Amino acid sequence: TSSHVNLSSSTSSVSREYNHNKMTAGAKSAPISSLAVASVGAATLAVSLWMYHHNSKTSQKSDPRSGDSEVDGDAQKSKKDDMLHREIDIDGSTADGLGRILSKGTITIAYCSTTGTCQGFAKKLHREILDRSARNYKLVQLIQVAEVDWWDELLNNEGDADDGGQGGPPVLLFILPTWTDGTLPPNSQNLLQSLSEISTDWRVAPEPLRSSSPELQLKVGAFGMGSSAYDAHTVGKPAKEVFSCLVGKLGARPLVSKNVGGKREGKAKSKSLMIGDSEVGDSDVVFEKWMNGIVNSIIPSGQNNVIDGKKKTNGNSKKQQQQQQHVEEKKKVEQDCACKSSGDTSKDEAGCCSNQNSENNNEAGCCSNEKSDENDSMTDSLSEDDDYDDDDDDSEGDVLDVEDMGNVIKSQSSSKKSREPKEMVTPKQAKALKKEGYKLIGTHSAVKLCRWTKHQLRGRGGCYKHTHYGITSYQCMEATPSLACANKCVFCWRHHKNPVGREWRWKTDDPKMIVEEAVKMHVDMIKETRGIPGIQMDRWAEAHKVRHCALSLVGEPIMYPKINELLHELHERKISTFLVTNGQHPQAINDLIPITQLYVSVDASTPESLEAVDRPLFKDAWDRLKTSLSCLKNKGQRTVARLTVVKGWNSDEIGGYARLIALGHCSLVEVKGVTFCGKSDASNLNMSNSPWHHEVLQFTKLLLKELNAIREGGDDLMPEYDLACEHKHSCSVLLARVDQFAVPDENDPTKRKWRTWIDYDKFQELTAKHAADPTFKFGVEDYLADTPSWAVAGADEEGFDPTDNRHRKKKKHPKYTKFDDDGIPTHDTFKEPLEENEILKLRNLMNEKKKLVGAATTVTELQGGERVIDDASLMFRGLTVSR
């Protein structure tokens, strides 16, 4: 068997093991683990063994924390030394052992996070509790949900909690996001699974967490994050389920009492369970409200900020006053009830009672009755990192019936939605986007200078669209009329700094203004490149005239309600249009006017992998994608199915991709390897997920074979495809329809000549005729141009324009330039053949590695969802030399 395994062949031996156990001892490797994966597994195993070392006592000394200059130094040191600060970082590493959650004097903050929001909130709460110096608590620990064996922590107390020591009752606080379909992220689902098993296991006594001793009774609180853009009914669902199970089934008690906060104290009401909605934009405000209630419950006012009888006068109290003032200012934003009117005594559709004289709460747990002292406020929300706020009417505490949570969400969301459309981008999102180089236009559009524009200005080569379609990269503007998107793809290089949404609900800017400002901002950025070393001034002067527009910057451009007017404005300026859509708005595709080239992203070949890779807001995302592809049949102009290959995520089931492409009879099929843009909280990708160009080429050849199989299987209407172009620098390969883009070669009629380039002047002439007379039709063949020989697949130039010069960073050149089918180098850095004995030596080295990692590609999923790829056949690919 060949030691080199094709990237996505269904017959290749690709080993996968996914981590679903409650307490993994690190990442499970494939049957034969790689050196890289083995090192990761060993490190994680060490962490897990440490996690099981529960005999470490809380009497250890803590790291000293900085005190206030106005407090007596000895008293401050004495107090701080008594409190042990433990934090398990994102990678699970810590110098101290994990304290028992049920031990007296222990506060545990447990969180999981996908985009970093919940992690930030957890650390903020951790700092706040430490700064407030809880007298009765010796240990405040910050841990990840995935790092805990919840069966062991909640049922096996090992006597620690009843050891006669001093301290307040144990406190357990959760800060949880909402993942797909209202679940926790995959690496943290052990929490809900464990709670469900404990609550239904006949061997476990009823309410095992209830204690007759107040000092041993576990107190709990939970904060959920979510986004109602996904589904208003699942916002904060994991936090609600965790809280409901702990309090309603296992016997824990809510931390926040009904006397904390409330109108009698002139404060906003607080709850043990609250939810923040990133879509509403109130997450920070709701979290501050929840945190203040939590901290005030742990540290009563008589004890607050007092150390050994001395008043603590640091800046924290001032900070709390500012936070409280901010909460009061935002009071309208976090109204719990949409039906607060003094005269109406009826219930609204959300089941929310507005009668101020009523003494009873409605079924939703939301009421404006000022006479009731047992009502608390909450806010609801949902998403992959979302917040929700809840109310309940329980004489014993803050317990909200799960059945009523949907009504609360409905009433709260209706109260938060203004009748006037809001701006799409929040100040926080605008700041993040600007930091990454986006130039914002109006309330929902943006433009950014592409790196390939700067590359070609310096004579260092153009992008793949230059190779495949003949655009001039330094005259191309990358823009979007909609920063919002209906997906949160794992490979998105924008790191999800932009808004999300399923439909347009924001203010709508004028399309002419957007185009004018985009061109102006783009030209201003071109002017700023004048001082860059190597700029070719003739190209720099030409770059002031925009000829192409790639509507693919970020977000979903086709969501913009006036997209056709915007496209018309671009065509009026003789600017070609390349629009990329994620295939979630088929009706908008149908309604689109003729453009230069229309892309539909095909990121997965099965419904399951589409959910995992694209993380769509639409529940019927798979059906929407298929309908969108079917719409391409009738477009008339150039259409493209664009596949982004992510190793270990969507590189299997090639037959599924072929069946999707067959739905639209697409003119072209672009296959491109994912570009790794660095680690981020919003993505689980690593460098091993980016395929090499030869892997993308192999994937494309297998896809071509599957497409031909469909055609030969009886689908007479299925067009024939063939390899047309490649751009190695971008890891991009192009398949093209033979009937539309291939003609016999004049010099050799037995060979094909490709015409994938575009006659842009001809296109502008045709689209102008269509604009003047909508009955005028034109097709793909009407604006073709010949593809140069250097751009054709298999050419020695590998898609690099010979008029430019390839630039190597820091003069680093590949050590080997050619390889055989097994990945063994055959040519050195100067493209000279290697000696036979050198090739044999390299082959022996590879065979040694294969003994360790196996001959096949290994995909190992780590805790946190990251997938590590190891393939011995790639061991020589990334080596470089300086010359």
Side-chain angles (χ1 to χ4, degrees), residues 783-810:
Y783 54 104
L784 299 178
D786 292 346
T787 306
S789 59
W790 57 264
V792 174
D796 292 338
E797 294 86 352
E798 296 176 313
F800 189 86
D801 191 336
T803 62
D804 290 328
N805 296 310
R806 179 71 185 269
H807 177 74
R808 301 284 183 183
K809 290 184 178 180
K810 299 179 182 180

Side-chain angles (χ1 to χ4, degrees), residues 29 47 82 111 343 514 761 822 875:
S29 63
V47 173
D82 286 341
Y111 75 94
I514 295 174
D761 292 334
D822 294 332
M875 64 182 294

Side-chain angles (χ1 to χ4, degrees), residues 281 297 308 329 360 386 399 418 488 601 620 628 768 785 802 838 865:
S297 296
D308 294 342
E329 291 173 354
N360 298 320
D386 310 342
V399 184
S418 171
K488 299 184 86 172
S601 295
D620 58 343
S628 295
E838 179 68 15

Side-chain angles (χ1 to χ4, degrees), residues 440-442 447 477 511-524 573:
L440 302 187
I441 305 166
V447 65
M477 174 179 71
K512 185 173 183 179
M513 180 276 293
I514 295 174
V515 173
E516 288 177 350
E517 287 299 309
V519 172
K520 179 180 179 297
M521 290 181 177
H522 176 82
V523 172
D524 287 344
R573 293 170 174 263

Side-chain angles (χ1 to χ4, degrees), residues 833-846:
L834 295 175
E835 298 290 339
E836 286 297 328
N837 60 340
E838 179 68 15
I839 294 177
L840 180 60
K841 179 181 177 181
L842 295 173
R843 186 176 298 277
N844 290 335
L845 287 174
M846 182 177 288

Side-chain angles (χ1 to χ4, degrees), residues 6 131 158 337 348 383 432 471 513 515 531 534 673 728 796 839:
N6 294 332
D131 289 342
E158 297 181 0
C337 184
D348 68 355
S383 162
I471 76 162
M513 180 276 293
V515 173
K728 184 177 181 180
D796 292 338
I839 294 177

Side-chain angles (χ1 to χ4, degrees), residues 439-578:
K439 304 294 183 182
L440 302 187
I441 305 166
T443 64
H444 53 73
S445 306
V447 65
K448 186 179 182 182
L449 197 65
C450 176
R451 72 181 183 93
W452 288 107
T453 298
K454 292 180 282 188
H455 269 303
Q456 203 172 40
L457 280 172
R458 303 171 77 182
R460 295 181 175 182
C463 69
Y464 75 92
K465 288 195 289 293
H466 172 63
T467 298
H468 296 345
Y469 316 121
I471 76 162
T472 306
S473 297
Y474 60 79
Q475 290 183 297
C476 181
M477 174 179 71
E478 194 172 21
T480 182
S482 170
L483 287 161
C485 187
N487 289 351
K488 299 184 86 172
C489 305
V490 296
F491 57 79
C492 182
W493 53 50
R494 314 308 181 189
H495 298 319
H496 309 301
K497 301 296 193 301
N498 56 308
V500 294
R502 285 174 290 189
E503 58 185 13
W504 192 270
R505 59 187 181 282
W506 302 280
K507 291 181 179 178
T508 304
D509 294 334
D510 178 63
K512 185 173 183 179
M513 180 276 293
I514 295 174
V515 173
E516 288 177 350
E517 287 299 309
V519 172
K520 179 180 179 297
M521 290 181 177
H522 176 82
V523 172
D524 287 344
M525 288 186 285
I526 292 293
K527 292 177 180 178
E528 294 172 358
T529 65
R530 180 167 185 167
I532 297 177
I535 289 291
Q536 298 182 8
M537 293 310 297
D538 56 337
R539 292 186 175 185
W540 182 81
E542 293 175 1
H544 287 66
K545 180 176 177 57
V546 178
R547 293 200 62 203
H548 317 285
C549 180
L551 293 167
S552 59
L553 177 62
V554 66
E556 175 56 88
I558 210 168
M559 282 180 66
Y560 176 49
K562 298 183 178 181
I563 185 64
N564 281 336
E565 291 93 324
L566 183 135
L567 293 168
H568 178 72
E569 288 291 334
L570 290 168
H571 294 160
E572 284 284 304
R573 293 170 174 263
K574 307 300 181 185
I575 298 175
S576 66
T577 46
F578 293 77

